[in-house]
Amino acid sequence: SFICSVTNKKPAQASITKVKQFEGSTSFVRRTQWMLEQLRQVNGIDPNRDSPEFDLLFENAFDQWVASTASEKCTFFQVLHHTCQRYLTDKKPEFINCQSKIMGGKSI
């Protein structure tokens, strides 16, 4: 699972956190965390099929992710895209191999 969080400090800081929930537990354990500014590319892998897999390319890291469902991946992409548009003024990440419905019908 994953979390996209934004602080309420000024200026706001946004981060992406990868968390894991172990079987039989209700709590999550933080695995890795990146600042939103480090995100370079979001790769949906295959825009022609609903799959939960995707890749995130950061400044100094490549990370493979799997959402619980394809729908959860879609929701995460929508939130991530909106967060990037709102909080990143300079270099915004590239969204590739994503279904057009993720960005409100725009083909990307």
Side-chain angles (χ1 to χ4, degrees):
S1 291
F2 30 83
I3 300 169
C4 188
S5 64
V6 179
T7 66
N8 58 3
K9 298 176 185 174
K10 301 290 183 199
Q13 291 186 322
S15 63
I16 300 169
T17 305
K18 188 182 226 182
V19 296
K20 181 169 180 70
Q21 184 177 31
F22 292 97
E23 194 172 320
S25 175
T26 57
S27 60
F28 291 89
V29 176
R30 187 169 82 176
R31 306 296 290 196
T32 48
Q33 184 174 42
W34 296 271
M35 296 309 296
L36 191 64
E37 295 83 20
Q38 295 175 293
L39 183 62
R40 297 292 175 255
Q41 185 183 82
V42 177
N43 186 344
I45 300 176
D46 188 348
N48 298 316
R49 69 181 184 94
D50 286 331
S51 69
E53 297 89 9
F54 62 98
D55 298 330
L56 297 181
L57 177 64
F58 295 93
E59 204 168 72
N60 296 312
F62 170 79
D63 205 46
Q64 294 178 308
W65 296 53
V66 179
S68 298
T69 64
S71 177
E72 184 182 82
K73 171 180 136 178
C74 181
T75 301
F76 177 68
F77 279 10
Q78 289 172 333
V79 170
L80 185 57
H81 185 263
H82 174 76
T83 304
C84 289
Q85 297 305 310
R86 183 170 180 186
Y87 293 101
L88 296 180
T89 54
D90 296 331
K91 190 184 281 187
K92 293 181 174 54
E94 176 184 30
F95 282 73
I96 63 169
N97 299 318
C98 297
Q99 295 176 334
S100 61
K101 66 182 178 183
I102 291 171
M103 303 309 139
K106 297 176 187 166
S107 182
I108 59 171

